[in-house]
Amino acid sequence: MDFERQTPVTVQAFHYDLVNEDTAPKSDVRTGIQKLDVSQDDEHSEKNGSYYDVAVFYDVIPAPAEFRVSGTIHQVVQLKDYHGDGSDISSADWQLLSRPLVEYIETLTYEVTQVTFDQPVNLNFKANF
């Protein structure tokens, strides 16, 4: 699937919290897509494909459980020659669309843990959809 990024990646929320040592590890990373209505926008035309808000919602406690990161990251894209609701997008295309957003989660976590632990934690998410 061919797409064009319309906005930079937007970090809507990023939360970092220390957790108790008896907290269980967790890896809840979900993707979502919402079709945007640009019919009133003179600058954008859906002739070549519709516009979508692609989002990643996450709540992660990596092992060993010392901290939790959670939040939401978005990006608006135009999917070329596609006008559906997103439910029929293949796993490979989801990986392409969501990977830049997941990389932000990995980078933010790496940088914050570098400061807080004086040693960075690399999450290295693998797609699971």
Side-chain angles (χ1 to χ4, degrees):
M1 176 173 287
D2 190 23
F3 68 94
E4 183 178 318
R5 293 177 177 90
Q6 298 296 309
T7 65
V9 173
T10 302
V11 179
Q12 182 177 346
F14 178 82
H15 304 285
Y16 167 87
D17 299 295
L18 293 176
V19 296
N20 296 329
E21 58 188 51
D22 60 338
T23 304
K26 175 181 182 177
S27 184
D28 181 14
V29 180
R30 295 171 281 117
T31 58
I33 190 166
Q34 180 178 13
K35 189 173 184 178
L36 301 176
D37 180 8
V38 296
S39 61
Q40 303 300 317
D41 188 344
D42 294 334
E43 189 177 324
H44 298 94
S45 166
E46 290 191 357
K47 183 175 84 173
N48 296 323
S50 294
Y51 292 80
Y52 298 86
D53 180 10
V54 177
V56 174
F57 309 92
Y58 57 98
D59 188 3
V60 177
I61 304 171
E66 297 179 274
F67 67 92
R68 160 187 260 149
V69 290
S70 61
T72 308
I73 295 183
H74 294 264
Q75 185 171 48
V76 174
V77 298
Q78 181 183 26
L79 301 181
K80 300 295 183 169
D81 300 320
Y82 180 79
H83 298 280
D85 65 1
S87 62
D88 58 345
I89 295 175
S90 72
S91 292
D93 288 335
W94 262 118
Q95 289 175 14
L96 249 151
L97 289 169
S98 65
R99 186 65 200 155
L101 285 70
V102 169
E103 286 174 358
Y104 264 69
I105 300 166
E106 294 170 341
T107 301
L108 287 166
T109 302
Y110 184 93
E111 295 295 330
V112 168
T113 55
Q114 172 68 39
V115 171
T116 59
F117 294 125
D118 206 22
Q119 181 174 340
V121 174
N122 195 344
L123 294 179
N124 284 328
F125 286 122
K126 301 291 183 226
N128 190 20
F129 45 84

